[in-house]
Amino acid sequence: MAAGGRGAAAAALLMAVSVALPPARAFSVPLQRPAACATDRYFDSSRLACAPCGAHQRQSAGGSSCVCEPGYRMVSSNGGFSVTCEKCPENMSGVTQDGWNCITCPKGLTLEGKCKCPNNEILVERSIDGILLNEALCIHCNGSEQSFSASDASGSRCVRCEKTFIHVSKSCDCSSPNILTGGLCFFAQESLPPKGVATVRFAQLGITLTSAWFLKNLQSSAFACWLYSNVTACQALGNMCVMNMNSLSSSSTDACGLFQYIFIGTARLGIIHSIAYWRHNLPWLYYGDQPGLASQVLEKNHFPTTFSFKGRDKDVKLQFIAASFDAAGNFLKWQSLEGGILQLCPDTETKLDAAYTFGTTYQQSCKISVSKILLDFANPIFYDLFLEYNDDNGQQHLWAVPVLNLNLQYNEKFVNQGTNMNNWLLTRRFFLVDTLSGKETDLGKPPRVIRIATEIAISIRLVSHMQRGTIYPPLISIAYTDVLVQNPEIQSVMVSFSVNYEMDQSEARIQTDVALGVLGGLAVLWSLLKTAGWKRRTGSSIIDLQTVFKFLLFYAGDLANVFFIITVGTGIYWLVFFKAQQFVSVLLPLPSQEEDFVTYVACAFSLKALQFLQLLISQLTVDIFFIDWERPKGKVLKAVEGEGVIKSAAAPVSIWRTYFIANEWNEIQTVRKINPLFQVLAVLFFLEVVGFSNLALMDASSSLTRSSESYVAPWSRILRFGVSVALWIAIAILQVIFFSVFYERFVEDKISQFVDLCCVSNISVFLLSHNCFGYYIHGRSVHGHADTNMEEMNMNLKREAENLCSQRGLLPNTDGQTFQISISRKMRLHYDWIHETLTRKRGPARLLESSANTFEQSTRAYNTMNKFLGSFIDHVHKEMDYIVKDKLLLERILGMEFMEPIEKSIFYNDEGHSFIDVLYYGNETTLLIFDILFFSVVDLASQSFVLAAILTYLQQEKEKGMSDIGNNEEEKMRKDDGERKGFPLSPLSFGAYSRGYEMTSDVK
């Protein structure tokens, strides 16, 4: 029963809670800020909203509670609006400092209704035993000798007055004609610096404002530094000069003008650490303003220690250390830059500290809100940066790091923004954020303008021709941005921090230019030889416009190879020598220095694409004819059309063997020594899965794996190219070796099989790639016929295996079946004369011819050409005969023929199957280089190996697809002509055969 009661109660409670739950949108609350509350309201932190104050109350200074109005005292207070106020009587209109009691104020009231006293008087509201006085007392501090007391800043007690008052007036009064400035007193008759201009110029905004900080401290700091060599005052004066961007002008007496005045006038004080620019008691702000001094500072002396990529921690880390000061000139501490001291962007400590690992190019950028900057950098910190090292005895030393302030103006000119080092004016001290100098009237109010170091870059330059990692002094470049504070919550700035490594690349550029000039000159000679060979093969000796155009095409391909060789050599050189070195001797080119390299890659790709296009066009313009050696077997009876009679005729020879060979030729056109898909996948696997892509990062690590917590350096385009190309070439070489040594020997050699298939089919291939030059595959069967049954064919093959018949070669007792042919002009003219019977019908006259006549004309042309070429091979035409010979070694090397076929054509023995030059198989190098360059161009543009691999594969598939486009056009033309068979045929035209007679491939 009790349990049932508890269950009912729980159900009732759950129902009550569920009824009380608001809808989802009721969980939304308005955003209200303390600054938005009116003066009679306060910010209630429990409600996160503004709430009204009670009667006779107003908002407190902090905005989070209420206080009584002037003339009212507190009776009770529990915080917030829980305050009770009571009006003071007329004779006691003032309120005590704590606000709880009323009191008479003889010297007047403040705006808050409390008592006030004149200068050098302190306010007393209670007796020494704490009893409240009816009337407040203003007690004068005794400033005479022996006492020298004055009221403190709060006016609550007497303290010893500032020593300059005692020194000047022997009292705590700085009466005329003495000078009172910044809370200090100075003799009027002393030789003082000129009156300073308490303005700060924000050049980016075009604003010059009077700074409350400068107005209060500039003159006093200059006087104290000049008269008393006060170290703190001198540091404060130097800080104000830094806040003015170290800008110098001969006519200005701003903070930097006063500093220079004191610097020049205190030469008698001597220098510190034998540094001429560092005076006693003064901060070191400048390296001097003589022309050319910056180059001496940055390049004359080497840093006294060396660095390496692998070694002790001190050898691989940049030990930066900074002396920090506050705005008033007080030294704060020595601090290492590790931990993100100079990096405004937040990150893990590991990634922040990676900036100081030698050899690691570091880049960091982010967007920061102005409100966060105001909160985190309420007081500016000033830094003097040094690089720590140990001498031979192990003693620690510091090397001053110069600063290149890009906002510095010298005589109204931004001298540090140019590239001419001789115009630079180097400085020493810098800050990250200045929220102080932009305060105009009251130092307690937010600044009108703030200045932020939005770009900080540390440059490390390697000394050339040194093998031990010697560097020049580092340089830190800083660019400041002036921000007009309007709405800090929505305003933001982009900040960046970087560490760059560089070396003099002029020697590398000279070597590259020399290599380009030499190889480019050789490319010209090689292109001239190619053009001469082409002219010989075309049978023309006239240098015309076509010759010049052909030379330019040859030169484009050869120059592409030159650019490719140079870029590959450059990429692999930097990859090997930069990543493998221990003692640093080379550093990577900067991204700006990689532009020439990227241009070379683009030129190589453009020229290679032109050569690739020429290759495709040349394949489309090749003349090829399949000579059928088969002879009719017996006779058949045939009805004569139109006569109604039957006559005997030779039995027709099957055309299927010719179609079959044509189909096989079509299939081997795109056979390559490498598998494009495997090539792309293997390269992508090694880059992204194995981790070779990590070698392209601009750091000293040669590891293939990286921790997720470690910093990832930016990519080097040269290293990306070098890594990817090295993998492309290595995998391609392995594929070619596997294909040549194993696959073609033990699995399938499609080129040799095609030659054997021609012989089995009793079909020879006559191919003209030029007007008077081409290739011949002798496929004449040694058995006299091939159109037979399976049993007889097996018997014939067995006889060949047992050497019971003659050899397959063109010449008796030889096996040579492939030849390069150089035909005479007479032979070419006869070939063209037969060819005209087919091409003539492609003119307008073909519209008048019937399809039957067209078919007959094509058949006659085919038979005539077949008979002519067969008789030509059989030496029937003595006036168009040929000879067979071997090519000279030099002819093979140069790829041209020295002997011109004037009377007789020349058949050159060709054991290397050089007819592959009109196939992809014989142009593997060109195709491979084009694929590599295509992959590299896409990767350099997108910085994505995956995208480059996908587009490269699609491009390779497009290469194969282009043959189908050519086939479709050829097939359409053939249909228009009503052809069933014919010639000449381009290599890409046999797609029609392969589509129409695909079943024939099963015979093989």
Side-chain angles (χ1 to χ4, degrees), residues 783-804:
H783 309 289
H785 61 275
D787 195 1
T788 182
N789 56 37
M790 179 70 71
E791 182 180 357
E792 185 175 356
M793 179 174 290
N794 288 335
M795 183 67 68
N796 292 338
L797 294 176
K798 183 177 181 181
R799 290 179 62 197
E800 282 194 65
E802 296 175 353
N803 292 325
L804 298 178

mmCIF file of all heavy atoms in Angstrom, residues 783-804:
data_model
loop_
_atom_site.group_PDB
_atom_site.id
_atom_site.type_symbol
_atom_site.label_atom_id
_atom_site.label_comp_id
_atom_site.label_asym_id
_atom_site.label_seq_id
_atom_site.Cartn_x
_atom_site.Cartn_y
_atom_site.Cartn_z
ATOM 1 N N HIS A 783 53.898 -21.684 -96.774
ATOM 2 C CA HIS A 783 53.145 -22.828 -97.285
ATOM 3 C C HIS A 783 52.336 -22.456 -98.511
ATOM 4 O O HIS A 783 51.638 -23.321 -99.057
ATOM 5 C CB HIS A 783 52.223 -23.375 -96.192
ATOM 6 C CG HIS A 783 52.927 -23.629 -94.900
ATOM 7 N ND1 HIS A 783 53.824 -24.657 -94.712
ATOM 8 C CD2 HIS A 783 52.880 -22.957 -93.708
ATOM 9 C CE1 HIS A 783 54.298 -24.621 -93.480
ATOM 10 N NE2 HIS A 783 53.740 -23.594 -92.850
ATOM 11 N N GLY A 784 52.383 -21.210 -98.922
ATOM 12 C CA GLY A 784 51.704 -20.778 -100.124
ATOM 13 C C GLY A 784 50.269 -20.366 -99.921
ATOM 14 O O GLY A 784 49.730 -19.585 -100.706
ATOM 15 N N HIS A 785 49.624 -20.852 -98.889
ATOM 16 C CA HIS A 785 48.244 -20.475 -98.634
ATOM 17 C C HIS A 785 47.958 -20.617 -97.137
ATOM 18 O O HIS A 785 48.649 -21.360 -96.431
ATOM 19 C CB HIS A 785 47.273 -21.325 -99.452
ATOM 20 C CG HIS A 785 47.374 -22.793 -99.133
ATOM 21 N ND1 HIS A 785 48.317 -23.629 -99.736
ATOM 22 C CD2 HIS A 785 46.676 -23.588 -98.258
ATOM 23 C CE1 HIS A 785 48.188 -24.858 -99.247
ATOM 24 N NE2 HIS A 785 47.195 -24.855 -98.359
ATOM 25 N N ALA A 786 46.928 -19.913 -96.674
ATOM 26 C CA ALA A 786 46.542 -19.951 -95.255
ATOM 27 C C ALA A 786 45.061 -20.178 -95.076
ATOM 28 O O ALA A 786 44.608 -20.462 -93.967
ATOM 29 C CB ALA A 786 46.953 -18.646 -94.561
ATOM 30 N N ASP A 787 44.304 -20.050 -96.177
ATOM 31 C CA ASP A 787 42.844 -20.237 -96.096
ATOM 32 C C ASP A 787 42.562 -21.728 -96.183
ATOM 33 O O ASP A 787 42.243 -22.265 -97.260
ATOM 34 C CB ASP A 787 42.179 -19.467 -97.230
ATOM 35 C CG ASP A 787 40.677 -19.313 -96.983
ATOM 36 O OD1 ASP A 787 40.206 -19.790 -95.934
ATOM 37 O OD2 ASP A 787 40.008 -18.702 -97.833
ATOM 38 N N THR A 788 42.705 -22.410 -95.055
ATOM 39 C CA THR A 788 42.603 -23.864 -95.044
ATOM 40 C C THR A 788 41.908 -24.305 -93.770
ATOM 41 O O THR A 788 41.499 -23.478 -92.932
ATOM 42 C CB THR A 788 44.000 -24.482 -95.147
ATOM 43 O OG1 THR A 788 43.880 -25.895 -95.189
ATOM 44 C CG2 THR A 788 44.856 -24.085 -93.956
ATOM 45 N N ASN A 789 41.795 -25.634 -93.621
ATOM 46 C CA ASN A 789 41.117 -26.149 -92.438
ATOM 47 C C ASN A 789 42.086 -26.298 -91.277
ATOM 48 O O ASN A 789 43.296 -26.109 -91.422
ATOM 49 C CB ASN A 789 40.433 -27.490 -92.760
ATOM 50 C CG ASN A 789 41.416 -28.506 -93.319
ATOM 51 O OD1 ASN A 789 42.573 -28.573 -92.897
ATOM 52 N ND2 ASN A 789 40.968 -29.306 -94.291
ATOM 53 N N MET A 790 41.548 -26.706 -90.132
ATOM 54 C CA MET A 790 42.341 -26.798 -88.920
ATOM 55 C C MET A 790 43.419 -27.861 -89.031
ATOM 56 O O MET A 790 44.560 -27.653 -88.615
ATOM 57 C CB MET A 790 41.423 -27.110 -87.732
ATOM 58 C CG MET A 790 42.158 -27.245 -86.410
ATOM 59 S SD MET A 790 42.794 -25.656 -85.835
ATOM 60 C CE MET A 790 41.242 -24.870 -85.378
ATOM 61 N N GLU A 791 43.092 -28.992 -89.640
ATOM 62 C CA GLU A 791 44.054 -30.093 -89.729
ATOM 63 C C GLU A 791 45.259 -29.697 -90.564
ATOM 64 O O GLU A 791 46.415 -29.912 -90.172
ATOM 65 C CB GLU A 791 43.366 -31.317 -90.325
ATOM 66 C CG GLU A 791 44.291 -32.524 -90.412
ATOM 67 C CD GLU A 791 43.575 -33.722 -91.004
ATOM 68 O OE1 GLU A 791 42.355 -33.621 -91.285
ATOM 69 O OE2 GLU A 791 44.231 -34.767 -91.189
ATOM 70 N N GLU A 792 45.001 -29.074 -91.729
ATOM 71 C CA GLU A 792 46.112 -28.693 -92.597
ATOM 72 C C GLU A 792 46.950 -27.582 -91.964
ATOM 73 O O GLU A 792 48.182 -27.558 -92.111
ATOM 74 C CB GLU A 792 45.583 -28.261 -93.956
ATOM 75 C CG GLU A 792 46.677 -27.975 -94.962
ATOM 76 C CD GLU A 792 46.128 -27.669 -96.344
ATOM 77 O OE1 GLU A 792 44.905 -27.762 -96.532
ATOM 78 O OE2 GLU A 792 46.941 -27.328 -97.227
ATOM 79 N N MET A 793 46.288 -26.673 -91.252
ATOM 80 C CA MET A 793 47.037 -25.592 -90.607
ATOM 81 C C MET A 793 47.962 -26.155 -89.530
ATOM 82 O O MET A 793 49.137 -25.750 -89.423
ATOM 83 C CB MET A 793 46.081 -24.566 -89.989
ATOM 84 C CG MET A 793 46.795 -23.429 -89.275
ATOM 85 S SD MET A 793 45.673 -22.156 -88.712
ATOM 86 C CE MET A 793 45.182 -21.428 -90.271
ATOM 87 N N ASN A 794 47.496 -27.097 -88.725
ATOM 88 C CA ASN A 794 48.351 -27.706 -87.718
ATOM 89 C C ASN A 794 49.509 -28.450 -88.349
ATOM 90 O O ASN A 794 50.636 -28.450 -87.837
ATOM 91 C CB ASN A 794 47.538 -28.647 -86.837
ATOM 92 C CG ASN A 794 46.608 -27.900 -85.899
ATOM 93 O OD1 ASN A 794 46.863 -26.748 -85.564
ATOM 94 N ND2 ASN A 794 45.525 -28.545 -85.482
ATOM 95 N N MET A 795 49.251 -29.106 -89.491
ATOM 96 C CA MET A 795 50.305 -29.800 -90.197
ATOM 97 C C MET A 795 51.368 -28.826 -90.685
ATOM 98 O O MET A 795 52.577 -29.083 -90.582
ATOM 99 C CB MET A 795 49.713 -30.574 -91.378
ATOM 100 C CG MET A 795 50.745 -31.399 -92.147
ATOM 101 S SD MET A 795 51.415 -32.763 -91.150
ATOM 102 C CE MET A 795 49.935 -33.787 -91.012
ATOM 103 N N ASN A 796 50.928 -27.662 -91.187
ATOM 104 C CA ASN A 796 51.881 -26.665 -91.666
ATOM 105 C C ASN A 796 52.740 -26.122 -90.527
ATOM 106 O O ASN A 796 53.951 -25.931 -90.670
ATOM 107 C CB ASN A 796 51.135 -25.522 -92.354
ATOM 108 C CG ASN A 796 50.491 -25.959 -93.663
ATOM 109 O OD1 ASN A 796 50.911 -26.955 -94.279
ATOM 110 N ND2 ASN A 796 49.472 -25.210 -94.087
ATOM 111 N N LEU A 797 52.100 -25.850 -89.402
ATOM 112 C CA LEU A 797 52.864 -25.333 -88.259
ATOM 113 C C LEU A 797 53.849 -26.363 -87.741
ATOM 114 O O LEU A 797 54.952 -26.028 -87.309
ATOM 115 C CB LEU A 797 51.899 -24.912 -87.144
ATOM 116 C CG LEU A 797 50.977 -23.721 -87.464
ATOM 117 C CD1 LEU A 797 50.018 -23.467 -86.309
ATOM 118 C CD2 LEU A 797 51.793 -22.467 -87.734
ATOM 119 N N LYS A 798 53.467 -27.638 -87.801
ATOM 120 C CA LYS A 798 54.378 -28.692 -87.350
ATOM 121 C C LYS A 798 55.577 -28.794 -88.272
ATOM 122 O O LYS A 798 56.713 -29.000 -87.834
ATOM 123 C CB LYS A 798 53.611 -30.015 -87.295
ATOM 124 C CG LYS A 798 54.446 -31.171 -86.756
ATOM 125 C CD LYS A 798 53.608 -32.437 -86.649
ATOM 126 C CE LYS A 798 54.461 -33.583 -86.086
ATOM 127 N NZ LYS A 798 53.686 -34.850 -85.987
ATOM 128 N N ARG A 799 55.366 -28.640 -89.567
ATOM 129 C CA ARG A 799 56.469 -28.682 -90.523
ATOM 130 C C ARG A 799 57.449 -27.525 -90.266
ATOM 131 O O ARG A 799 58.659 -27.695 -90.370
ATOM 132 C CB ARG A 799 55.923 -28.597 -91.951
ATOM 133 C CG ARG A 799 55.174 -29.847 -92.401
ATOM 134 C CD ARG A 799 54.647 -29.657 -93.810
ATOM 135 N NE ARG A 799 55.776 -29.451 -94.732
ATOM 136 C CZ ARG A 799 55.641 -28.939 -95.964
ATOM 137 N NH1 ARG A 799 54.438 -28.575 -96.381
ATOM 138 N NH2 ARG A 799 56.700 -28.783 -96.728
ATOM 139 N N GLU A 800 56.898 -26.344 -89.937
ATOM 140 C CA GLU A 800 57.787 -25.223 -89.614
ATOM 141 C C GLU A 800 58.593 -25.499 -88.355
ATOM 142 O O GLU A 800 59.798 -25.172 -88.287
ATOM 143 C CB GLU A 800 56.961 -23.940 -89.413
ATOM 144 C CG GLU A 800 56.501 -23.284 -90.689
ATOM 145 C CD GLU A 800 55.992 -21.880 -90.437
ATOM 146 O OE1 GLU A 800 56.796 -21.022 -90.038
ATOM 147 O OE2 GLU A 800 54.789 -21.655 -90.629
ATOM 148 N N ALA A 801 57.958 -26.099 -87.358
ATOM 149 C CA ALA A 801 58.676 -26.385 -86.115
ATOM 150 C C ALA A 801 59.795 -27.379 -86.339
ATOM 151 O O ALA A 801 60.835 -27.326 -85.653
ATOM 152 C CB ALA A 801 57.689 -26.903 -85.064
ATOM 153 N N GLU A 802 59.642 -28.280 -87.311
ATOM 154 C CA GLU A 802 60.648 -29.312 -87.572
ATOM 155 C C GLU A 802 61.597 -28.907 -88.694
ATOM 156 O O GLU A 802 62.386 -29.726 -89.170
ATOM 157 C CB GLU A 802 59.948 -30.615 -87.922
ATOM 158 C CG GLU A 802 59.110 -31.180 -86.765
ATOM 159 C CD GLU A 802 58.330 -32.422 -87.179
ATOM 160 O OE1 GLU A 802 58.352 -32.739 -88.401
ATOM 161 O OE2 GLU A 802 57.707 -33.035 -86.300
ATOM 162 N N ASN A 803 61.516 -27.615 -89.122
ATOM 163 C CA ASN A 803 62.389 -27.095 -90.187
ATOM 164 C C ASN A 803 62.288 -27.911 -91.463
ATOM 165 O O ASN A 803 63.271 -28.186 -92.153
ATOM 166 C CB ASN A 803 63.852 -27.058 -89.724
ATOM 167 C CG ASN A 803 64.089 -26.032 -88.637
ATOM 168 O OD1 ASN A 803 63.461 -24.972 -88.639
ATOM 169 N ND2 ASN A 803 64.966 -26.345 -87.693
ATOM 170 N N LEU A 804 61.077 -28.309 -91.798
ATOM 171 C CA LEU A 804 60.844 -29.081 -93.019
ATOM 172 C C LEU A 804 60.394 -28.204 -94.169
ATOM 173 O O LEU A 804 60.008 -28.709 -95.225
ATOM 174 C CB LEU A 804 59.792 -30.169 -92.743
ATOM 175 C CG LEU A 804 60.186 -31.203 -91.680
ATOM 176 C CD1 LEU A 804 59.055 -32.198 -91.472
ATOM 177 C CD2 LEU A 804 61.478 -31.913 -92.068
#
